[in-house]
Amino acid sequence: MQLTQRSKFLLLIGVFALPVAVAYLAYFGWRPAGHTNYGDLLEVAPLQQTAGTALDGRPFNLDTLRGKWVMVHVGASNCDAACAAQLYLMRQTRIAQGKEQTRVERLWVLTGSGAPEATLLQAHPGLHVWRPENVAFVAQFPAVRDRTEHIYLVDPLGNLMLRFPARVDAKRMMKDLRLLLKASQIG
């Protein structure tokens, strides 16, 4: 079968136009089924106003946690059942990372006054409990404005980047963190 000049021309156009059309579809809405992240990606932005105090009253700047992935819970010091469940999940997610758990820190950002119960803190060794110096710090976490408690993830460069749902699926959260640790060349 012999191709005519017109057929050759159309075939040549198709070879160059097809990748452009596929790229356009991929960029503007079509997502393959292999979408892997569970948490909501946030507009990556560095955390500001990171000065504050640790629970014991000593100054503590969150910049000291740079180089680590940080799971963050933002909430009041009177920890209800949902708060306790999130702190537990953060601890277990970190432990589940095995030898990589040293790359992950946990942070409870206290809003308001008061101190958490000592028994709760004893159940979570290594948890950083921190109160910001400037209350505007809390406004950087999107859902906190809606009074919904989520678990957030801060990357090793100090950027707020990911938010897990308020009612989080533990296995999917652990998978997200494992994939990030595997892919990350920093922290």
Side-chain angles (χ1 to χ4, degrees), residues 3-15:
L3 294 175
T4 65
Q5 291 291 348
R6 183 170 192 229
S7 298
K8 288 179 187 178
F9 179 69
L10 291 175
L11 182 62
L12 188 60
I13 288 176
V15 167

Side-chain angles (χ1 to χ4, degrees), residues 37-42 70-72 86 89-90 93 143 148-154 161-170 172-178 180:
N37 64 304
Y38 167 63
D40 297 326
L41 291 172
L42 302 173
V70 183
M71 289 186 288
V72 181
Q86 283 193 348
L89 182 59
M90 287 168 50
T93 299
T148 306
E149 293 183 350
H150 293 266
I151 295 174
Y152 295 89
L153 192 64
V154 176
M161 61 161 294
L162 196 65
R163 174 181 70 192
F164 294 102
R167 298 196 187 280
V168 68
D169 179 340
R172 293 177 73 187
M173 182 174 137
M174 287 180 202
K175 181 182 174 190
D176 266 10
L177 189 56
R178 188 175 305 115
L180 282 168

Side-chain angles (χ1 to χ4, degrees), residues 25-64:
L25 285 173
Y27 186 77
F28 291 106
W30 176 71
R31 298 283 183 247
H35 191 257
T36 59
N37 64 304
Y38 167 63
D40 297 326
L41 291 172
L42 302 173
E43 185 175 325
V44 176
L47 289 175
Q48 303 295 316
Q49 303 151 346
T50 57
T53 56
L55 193 57
D56 61 7
R58 284 189 268 171
F60 183 75
N61 194 311
L62 295 183
D63 289 339
T64 61

